[in-house]
Amino acid sequence: MVIECNLRASRSCPFVSKTIGTDMIATATKVMLNEPIAIESLPTLETPHDPIGYIGIKAPMFSWPRLREADPLLRCEMSSTGEVACFGPNVETAFLKAMMSTGFKVPRPGGNILIGIQKSFQPQFLPTAKKLNDLGFKLFATEATAEYLKAHNIPSQVTGWPMAEQDSDIPKATRLIQDKEMDLVVNLPNHNTKYVQDNYLIRRTAIDSNVPLITNFEIIQLFAKAMSHIGQVEATSLFHYQKPRPVTTITA
């Protein structure tokens, strides 16, 4: 029994074709039709056509602001409603251009970043936290995370959990977000915690307050690395990097 037959051309195929300078659709069509192909003209890992001197990165776009009360977490289902492809001379600049093209607001220099990570994940996140601190950002975190950062010589300001009853002198994370005192919210999900609802409220408040939100460890790692290249971001297209090549003709 066939439940579904989803025959389509993905958005990734034309992106890869343009990035590497090879029409993958045309090549695949010739294979299916048993047409002759100039194998020597196709790129390999050892002899690439493109990219040489540039990187292509495709970033997804999401519609979380339109989905009221939805938890802005990535799971197995398709959540993106579009994608943006950007190019740069290196991974860092291409990444920043792609992020900004999706509407992501890069934190201002010396801005405030709210960090939410679970205890078991703190050692892996420590180098990223140090990088953000070295870049001049002011870090905010809940009590346990703030103490861990302080123990490793990374200053941070303590914030409170949204649903906790605690000292009124400690501002709650959601209030700081709503008051637009945060320039970026980093919330790495972990359901093995008693603060599942608190973390959801932090993520949802960031979306509803139009504050940039990152929920993926690899993304915040690359973001921290890329921010030192922010001054190198230029408005260039793929054609700025690629050089035209002669067309190969085949005689059957």
Side-chain angles (χ1 to χ4, degrees), residues 154-199:
I154 300 176
S156 64
Q157 184 171 325
V158 178
T159 64
W161 289 106
M163 301 177 65
E165 295 182 4
Q166 53 196 27
D167 192 337
S168 60
D169 293 335
I170 300 178
K172 292 192 174 184
T174 45
R175 185 184 68 77
L176 292 174
I177 298 171
Q178 291 169 336
D179 292 346
K180 299 298 180 70
E181 294 187 36
M182 294 295 108
D183 298 283
L184 173 64
V185 175
V186 178
N187 188 272
L188 305 182
N190 185 334
H191 293 292
N192 297 322
T193 174
K194 62 180 180 180
Y195 296 110
V196 171
Q197 185 66 14
D198 291 89
N199 280 312

Side-chain angles (χ1 to χ4, degrees), residues 103-188:
F104 183 89
K105 294 184 295 185
V106 176
R108 58 189 170 87
N112 300 330
I113 298 179
L114 176 63
I115 297 175
I117 53 176
Q118 303 308 313
K119 182 177 180 180
S120 61
F121 202 65
Q122 290 173 349
Q124 293 97 311
F125 188 80
L126 189 62
T128 300
K130 184 178 186 306
K131 179 66 174 178
L132 294 172
N133 178 68
D134 292 343
L135 288 170
F137 293 109
K138 298 180 181 66
L139 305 184
F140 290 70
T142 50
E143 187 174 3
T145 301
E147 290 179 355
Y148 181 82
L149 294 176
K150 183 180 179 181
H152 291 82
N153 301 313
I154 300 176
S156 64
Q157 184 171 325
V158 178
T159 64
W161 289 106
M163 301 177 65
E165 295 182 4
Q166 53 196 27
D167 192 337
S168 60
D169 293 335
I170 300 178
K172 292 192 174 184
T174 45
R175 185 184 68 77
L176 292 174
I177 298 171
Q178 291 169 336
D179 292 346
K180 299 298 180 70
E181 294 187 36
M182 294 295 108
D183 298 283
L184 173 64
V185 175
V186 178
N187 188 272
L188 305 182

Side-chain angles (χ1 to χ4, degrees), residues 21-228:
T22 302
D23 192 337
M24 303 301 292
I25 298 296
T27 302
T29 302
K30 289 180 180 179
V31 170
M32 289 185 287
L33 296 177
N34 199 28
E35 293 288 330
I37 300 175
I39 300 296
E40 66 279 358
S41 69
L42 297 178
T44 67
L45 293 176
E46 292 74 26
T47 58
H49 288 168
D50 296 310
I52 298 176
Y54 70 94
I55 296 291
I57 289 182
K58 186 176 66 169
M61 298 182 68
F62 301 96
S63 298
W64 298 121
R66 300 180 182 180
L67 304 175
R68 292 186 177 182
E69 299 183 1
D71 193 351
L73 280 180
L74 300 182
R75 299 182 178 89
C76 59
E77 66 271 14
M78 173 67 76
S79 299
S80 66
T81 54
E83 295 162 322
V84 179
C86 289
F87 303 88
N90 50 53
V91 172
E92 293 79 13
T93 55
F95 170 79
L96 288 174
K97 288 171 66 175
M99 291 287 283
M100 289 187 286
S101 297
T102 65
F104 183 89
K105 294 184 295 185
V106 176
R108 58 189 170 87
N112 300 330
I113 298 179
L114 176 63
I115 297 175
I117 53 176
Q118 303 308 313
K119 182 177 180 180
S120 61
F121 202 65
Q122 290 173 349
Q124 293 97 311
F125 188 80
L126 189 62
T128 300
K130 184 178 186 306
K131 179 66 174 178
L132 294 172
N133 178 68
D134 292 343
L135 288 170
F137 293 109
K138 298 180 181 66
L139 305 184
F140 290 70
T142 50
E143 187 174 3
T145 301
E147 290 179 355
Y148 181 82
L149 294 176
K150 183 180 179 181
H152 291 82
N153 301 313
I154 300 176
S156 64
Q157 184 171 325
V158 178
T159 64
W161 289 106
M163 301 177 65
E165 295 182 4
Q166 53 196 27
D167 192 337
S168 60
D169 293 335
I170 300 178
K172 292 192 174 184
T174 45
R175 185 184 68 77
L176 292 174
I177 298 171
Q178 291 169 336
D179 292 346
K180 299 298 180 70
E181 294 187 36
M182 294 295 108
D183 298 283
L184 173 64
V185 175
V186 178
N187 188 272
L188 305 182
N190 185 334
H191 293 292
N192 297 322
T193 174
K194 62 180 180 180
Y195 296 110
V196 171
Q197 185 66 14
D198 291 89
N199 280 312
Y200 159 73
L201 290 173
I202 290 173
R203 292 190 294 269
R204 190 63 231 181
T205 301
I207 294 296
D208 294 336
S209 302
N210 197 29
V211 175
L213 171 69
I214 294 178
T215 61
N216 180 276
F217 177 55
E218 287 76 16
I219 294 299
I220 187 59
Q221 271 188 313
L222 183 53
F223 171 82
K225 180 182 178 183
M227 281 305 293
S228 59

